[in-house]
Amino acid sequence: FTAAYKQRILDEAKACTKKGELGALLRREGLYSSHLAAWRAVLLQDGLKGLAPKKRGIEARPPVGLEAKRVVELERELRRMTAI
């Protein structure tokens, strides 16, 4: 979710005063109340910058040269041979 979307949903949730309005908002958007709780906590802690989406997954490593790959292969082979 984008930071703007999260902020809009938090604003709409804050405006919900009648019974059932918040539940209707969550169902309409396909969200859980835990989304709101987490977004509110991040907003209090880090401000709007904290609502920005985070990159997921592992960090990409820089490409390894052929020589470095060969060194890794030889080290692996050496460990295997000395373990016997």
Side-chain angles (χ1 to χ4, degrees), residues 17-71:
T17 56
K18 296 180 185 169
K19 185 175 181 174
E21 283 184 344
L22 184 59
L25 169 68
L26 293 174
R27 282 190 301 278
R28 183 185 77 220
E29 297 295 329
L31 298 172
Y32 295 101
S33 60
S34 60
H35 285 114
L36 295 181
W39 295 347
R40 286 177 183 139
V42 170
L43 186 62
L44 284 175
Q45 183 179 2
D46 301 328
L48 287 176
K49 185 173 68 172
L51 290 179
K54 310 286 188 286
K55 278 194 155 190
R56 299 179 68 174
I58 60 172
E59 288 186 32
R61 291 190 230 169
V64 180
L66 292 177
E67 297 86 16
K69 284 183 181 180
R70 182 69 179 143
V71 168

Side-chain angles (χ1 to χ4, degrees), residues 65-80:
L66 292 177
E67 297 86 16
K69 284 183 181 180
R70 182 69 179 143
V71 168
V72 170
E73 288 174 9
L74 290 173
E75 288 174 345
R76 185 180 304 131
E77 186 177 338
L78 178 63
R79 280 193 305 271
R80 187 176 48 87

